[in-house]
Amino acid sequence: MNKFIQSAVVTATIFAGATLAPLTTAQAETTLTTSSVNAIGSIENRTGKKFVELLEGSSLKVNHVEGTVLGNAAQVMDQTISGAVDVMINDMAWVAGFHPDLTVLNWSFTFNDTDHLDAFFNSDQFSAIVDDVASETGVRVLAAAATQPRYFHSRVPVSSAEDIKGLKVRVPQIRVFIDSWDAMGAVPTPMNFSEVFLGMKTGVIDGAFGNPSATFPNNFHVSGQNIVTLGDTNSSMGMFVNEARFQSLSDEDKSALIAAAKETIAWAQAQAQQEMQAVLDKMVETGATLTDIDSSALRAATLEKGRQLEEEGMWSKGLLDSIQGLDS
């Protein structure tokens, strides 16, 4: 098995722009089953709706399965790999395990902000990483962009970096999230995103993180009213298609899908950035508090741990420093 594949044989590649092809009577319609996984009203859900809209008039039709009907993000990614789902729309975190150098997308404090993350997505370095996995079959990345910084929600007040230590923090079942929160002194606790509200309300977990457009419809601000700006990671949006399904499409349909994917993700990025402050304001209006803390100690701890993991082969040597040197 290729050394870059950790949990499945997957392909990821990014295509250049294309134009939508109009539907003609000679073309047969093709229906793509699509899942954006997250709650109705979330930025992922609305991105799925935009994808449907953009493909209207082409020979591609979209069966957008909303919410978590098909399962959580990990389950839907598995379905995309197997071909049960044709297209998945969600955070790029869900392809990070396909190549060691993509795991840095989820390592705390690798990127300074969303512009820095976009600089990585647009870099030759990222293109080379994508090319490394393009030779394997599984899932193809059609487009990717940074969206919003992730905020930390806690059911208990957090006024300093020291207050993070010992907190049970919800993380996805992804190693780098687990390791980086462990480096910060927290107790990483894997849990489905949809279970966070109840988890914080009942005390099963103390806190969780996410971008405002995703956490608001999931009511993180209700059970985790203490919202903290850490600046540790940034969310992103990607569109992934089953490779075999993609290759079965006509050239016209491939062009239509690529164009729609790029425009959809660009729309999602713009929407996310435009609405972020308004969403945070709504949270505060309901009684939540928003606090900035000095996260320099957390940054130092995770970068030290990250460089240790880099020496152990977690990702390519020098990658963290190379990313830190990118112009954002």
Side-chain angles (χ1 to χ4, degrees), residues 5-282:
I5 304 305
Q6 297 180 357
S7 61
V9 178
V10 181
T11 298
T13 188
I14 294 180
F15 286 84
T19 56
L20 289 173
L23 178 64
T24 68
T25 55
Q27 290 176 296
E29 290 184 359
T30 297
T31 299
L32 300 174
T33 298
T34 302
S35 175
S36 48
V37 184
N38 216 331
I40 292 174
S42 67
I43 187 68
E44 291 86 356
N45 175 256
R46 287 178 282 126
T47 300
K49 288 178 176 292
K50 184 66 176 179
F51 180 54
V52 174
E53 175 189 320
L54 288 174
L55 280 174
E56 289 179 356
S58 78
S59 59
L60 292 173
K61 301 301 176 186
V62 180
N63 172 27
H64 180 211
V65 183
E66 299 189 54
T68 57
V69 173
L70 298 179
N72 60 35
Q75 291 168 330
V76 173
M77 177 54 78
D78 285 343
Q79 293 167 48
T80 307
I81 292 168
S82 72
V85 169
D86 296 311
V87 176
M88 176 179 173
I89 301 169
N90 211 273
D91 199 290
M92 283 289 291
W94 295 106
V95 297
F98 301 161
H99 188 290
D101 287 355
L102 289 181
T103 61
V104 296
L105 294 176
N106 303 321
W107 188 258
S108 292
F109 300 105
T110 298
F111 301 97
N112 301 326
D113 50 32
T114 52
D115 287 342
H116 191 193
L117 178 54
D118 267 339
F120 178 63
F121 284 144
N122 294 324
S123 69
D124 292 340
Q125 187 175 36
F126 180 72
S127 296
I129 292 170
V130 170
D131 287 342
D132 280 344
V133 295
S135 61
E136 305 291 345
T137 59
V139 168
R140 184 182 292 268
V141 178
L142 294 172
T147 51
Q148 297 175 346
R150 295 189 178 105
Y151 287 75
F152 181 65
H153 290 253
S154 174
R155 68 187 188 91
V156 297
V158 173
S159 57
S160 72
E162 281 294 312
D163 293 335
I164 297 292
K165 294 181 179 179
L167 292 184
K168 293 175 289 184
V169 177
R170 176 269 169 183
V171 294
Q173 187 65 55
I174 297 175
R175 181 186 170 185
V176 287
F177 279 119
I178 295 170
D179 286 355
S180 58
W181 279 92
D182 180 67
M184 285 188 267
V187 180
T189 307
M191 177 182 288
N192 289 338
F193 196 77
S194 60
E195 297 171 355
V196 168
F197 165 75
L198 188 59
M200 280 194 288
K201 190 175 181 63
T202 59
V204 173
I205 56 172
D206 298 310
F209 54 89
N211 69 76
S213 291
T215 60
F216 183 73
N218 283 280
N219 291 314
F220 281 27
H221 61 291
V222 177
S223 57
Q225 292 186 313
N226 303 283
I227 307 172
V228 182
T229 306
L230 291 181
D232 62 312
T233 57
N234 299 279
S235 62
S236 55
M237 193 75 75
M239 185 174 292
F240 325 118
V241 62
N242 174 270
E243 170 70 358
R245 181 62 156 157
F246 180 80
Q247 293 299 341
S248 74
L249 299 177
S250 66
D251 289 343
E252 292 80 6
D253 282 348
K254 286 178 183 176
S255 295
L257 180 58
I258 293 165
K262 290 173 68 69
E263 188 172 350
T264 297
I265 297 306
W267 176 90
Q269 180 182 50
Q271 285 291 114
Q273 293 177 352
Q274 288 170 9
E275 73 186 28
M276 185 177 74
Q277 189 57 53
V279 173
L280 289 169
D281 289 343
K282 288 179 182 178

